[in-house]
Amino acid sequence: MSSIHRWHEQHERHSIRCCVALTLRMLRHVLVRHRLVHAIVLLRTMSYRAIRVTSFGDPHVMKVEEQPEILAGDVAPNELVIDIHAAGVNPVDTYFRSGLRGGVTVPYTPGSDAAGVVSLVGSQVQRWKVGDRVYTSGMKHGAYAQKARVTEEQLQPLPDTVSFYQGAGLHVPYATAYYALFQRAAYV
């Protein structure tokens, strides 16, 4: 490796370290000097990713987009926010995305099954606390994202012995199997 290449790599690493240090100093300055109002402005620039459907059609209509971070003040009293660790993909998601099933308007975030950890809790929520492992049940849309807003009733506890991947596959597949075995099979 030539000395020019070595110098360029060292300079690049130094620039990155300086940017990180400057960012941390700016954040500290905002939090210490200007308190909460300016900290919220800074935090609003943070975001999470979600798959969004902006028109009905084939899988190509799904695009990854940045969404504004959900802050405590954005959560309704009966809502929670979960950090999604795994999302389930179900046939019904394709029906909504293609427009074959009504009840959804674009743009929206698809997905009904997810598992993760509670990260924000509304003031009237009694059953859950930050850090609880959960999976969704009864959520119509919003699982194809890093975060989702849900109500208390749309969550179930996820035991430590069940992985997030397994939890994301619990609700719709379970309900489908139950319906097939105990509802439909009763008529056969």
Side-chain angles (χ1 to χ4, degrees):
M1 178 182 280
S2 73
S3 60
I4 292 174
H5 285 93
R6 229 176 289 118
W7 177 86
H8 180 68
E9 281 184 9
Q10 289 172 349
H11 180 70
E12 191 173 310
R13 275 187 254 135
H14 176 72
S15 296
I16 291 170
R17 281 195 302 268
C18 288
C19 287
V20 168
L22 180 63
T23 302
L24 291 174
R25 278 196 302 267
M26 287 171 37
L27 180 59
R28 183 175 182 274
H29 173 74
V30 167
L31 293 175
V32 171
R33 304 270 185 231
H34 302 288
R35 305 275 185 229
L36 188 59
V37 174
H38 293 287
I40 289 174
V41 170
L42 180 64
L43 289 173
R44 282 235 182 253
T45 63
M46 296 169 50
S47 60
Y48 67 95
R49 293 184 303 178
I51 294 176
R52 301 285 288 166
V53 173
T54 55
S55 63
F56 297 114
D58 63 14
H60 295 94
V61 301
M62 296 189 298
K63 305 286 185 222
V64 176
E65 294 180 1
E66 294 291 322
Q67 299 295 306
E69 186 67 37
I70 305 170
L71 301 176
D74 299 333
V75 178
N78 66 333
E79 282 185 329
L80 302 97
V81 175
I82 58 170
D83 291 338
I84 296 177
H85 291 245
V89 179
N90 298 298
V92 71
D93 300 331
T94 63
Y95 306 150
F96 282 117
R97 186 205 68 237
S98 64
L100 294 175
R101 186 156 188 183
V104 66
T105 57
V106 291
Y108 77 101
T109 300
S112 57
D113 283 350
V117 176
V118 174
S119 61
L120 285 174
V121 178
S123 60
Q124 295 177 359
V125 173
Q126 300 293 316
R127 185 174 173 196
W128 307 103
K129 65 183 183 317
V130 172
D132 284 347
R133 290 170 42 94
V134 294
Y135 73 93
T136 60
S137 63
M139 187 168 102
K140 282 191 174 181
H141 307 291
Y144 293 7
Q146 292 174 319
K147 294 181 179 282
R149 285 177 137 145
V150 294
T151 61
E152 233 177 321
E153 299 79 31
Q154 294 174 317
L155 295 179
Q156 298 298 324
L158 185 67
D160 290 337
T161 56
V162 178
S163 74
F164 290 116
Y165 299 111
Q166 293 167 328
L170 281 174
H171 180 66
V172 170
Y174 169 80
T176 303
Y178 183 88
Y179 177 77
L181 291 171
F182 298 105
Q183 307 286 306
R184 295 288 287 177
Y187 299 115
V188 177

